[in-house]
Amino acid sequence: MGRSYIQLRQDPTATTKQKAGLLNKQGWAAYLLNGDALIIRYPYDPAATYSDMGCNTETYTDPEMVEVETLGPLTRLEPGAHVEHAEIWTLAKVDCGPDDADIDSALLPLVKAAARP
């Protein structure tokens, strides 16, 4: 836990699973692995209701994997209607350390360059 960012690290030797969810008003999440970054941008609606106790972002890890999941607002649909949940993905090579300042300098410029969904 940093002052600005919550990070979840996958541990192949872990004996338990870990899932965490939150209401992310910033509208982005990132996954980093060996100098590669997947940055996911997605909409946040302050007037909306989100599932899973108000979460629009969830992470999960077990000894074999990490998952980053985004959720759209709860929406009642009539038969034949549809809804979209758009994500914008950016893949980039980054040199990013674990501190908030590292994330600010390595990832924020990429987040700001991506268009909002």
Side-chain angles (χ1 to χ4, degrees), residues 37-54:
L38 167 63
I39 300 167
I40 306 167
R41 297 288 313 239
Y42 47 99
Y44 162 67
D45 180 355
T49 300
Y50 290 89
S51 64
D52 292 350
M53 297 185 288

Side-chain angles (χ1 to χ4, degrees), residues 30-100:
Y31 175 77
L32 301 173
L33 179 65
N34 300 328
D36 295 319
L38 167 63
I39 300 167
I40 306 167
R41 297 288 313 239
Y42 47 99
Y44 162 67
D45 180 355
T49 300
Y50 290 89
S51 64
D52 292 350
M53 297 185 288
C55 296
N56 69 346
T57 308
E58 296 181 344
T59 61
Y60 169 85
T61 185
D62 64 28
E64 298 179 15
M65 62 167 277
V66 171
E67 176 184 78
V68 178
E69 179 181 4
T70 69
L71 294 85
L74 289 172
T75 306
R76 180 175 299 277
L77 296 176
E78 297 299 326
H82 71 279
V83 67
E84 274 186 23
H85 177 67
E87 295 179 337
I88 296 174
W89 290 14
T90 301
L91 295 170
K93 294 283 187 192
V94 296
D95 181 15
C96 187
D99 297 330
D100 285 1

